[in-house]
Amino acid sequence: MSQVTDPIADYLTRIRNAMHAKHPRVDIPASRMKREITKILIEEGYLRNYLNIDDGKQGILRVFLKYGRDGAPAISGLRRISRPGLRRYVGYRDVPRVRNNLGLAVLSTPNGVISSKRARRERLGGEVLLYVW
């Protein structure tokens, strides 16, 4: 078994692959960071719901994916921005606008993991984790 060096990139890849294969849900090894990112994606309408499953170890995050009436996934793109080899930080004035505000950036700030919309509203900067559109 290989060690995952970037758990958030693994999380995004699992969601991307499951949506491409039209799966209704995907199971992901749980962590607090992944749970917070999932909550933001649900609030913003990109995912349906999630469950925490206790397996006696770190737990499993079961994410229920969202599709439109025509079967198109709610998420058309996911991109990891800050990664272990190159961290990306922004001040509150430079919080990115993804796809001309049609997308969303997720940031890790001193106040926790938040969306770019909330970061601009609360004037917070931090590490840009990912883009979703």
Side-chain angles (χ1 to χ4, degrees), residues 42-73:
I42 290 169
E43 286 172 12
E44 296 294 331
Y46 291 104
L47 298 173
R48 275 193 308 140
N49 207 351
Y50 79 98
L51 285 174
N52 281 317
I53 299 172
D54 185 23
D55 64 350
K57 300 174 194 160
Q58 77 182 60
I60 295 173
L61 198 62
R62 180 165 287 166
V63 178
F64 296 94
L65 306 175
K66 187 173 180 180
Y67 297 94
R69 292 181 190 265
D70 59 349

Side-chain angles (χ1 to χ4, degrees), residues 63-121:
V63 178
F64 296 94
L65 306 175
K66 187 173 180 180
Y67 297 94
R69 292 181 190 265
D70 59 349
I75 297 174
S76 58
L78 285 167
R79 184 165 169 222
R80 179 76 159 117
I81 301 303
S82 184
R83 50 187 213 271
L86 182 61
R87 300 290 184 184
R88 305 280 179 157
Y89 297 96
V90 295
Y92 76 90
R93 289 184 180 99
D94 301 320
V95 173
R97 297 182 188 277
V98 180
R99 301 279 167 136
N100 205 15
N101 279 343
L102 295 176
L104 180 75
V106 177
L107 285 81
S108 177
T109 68
N111 291 4
V113 179
I114 61 173
S115 69
S116 55
K117 293 175 187 176
R118 186 171 160 205
R120 276 192 290 278
R121 189 171 54 243

Side-chain angles (χ1 to χ4, degrees), residues 4-21:
V4 176
T5 58
D6 189 0
I8 297 172
D10 178 64
Y11 166 84
L12 297 177
T13 299
R14 286 174 190 246
I15 290 177
R16 194 180 301 115
N17 290 344
M19 286 197 145
H20 184 71

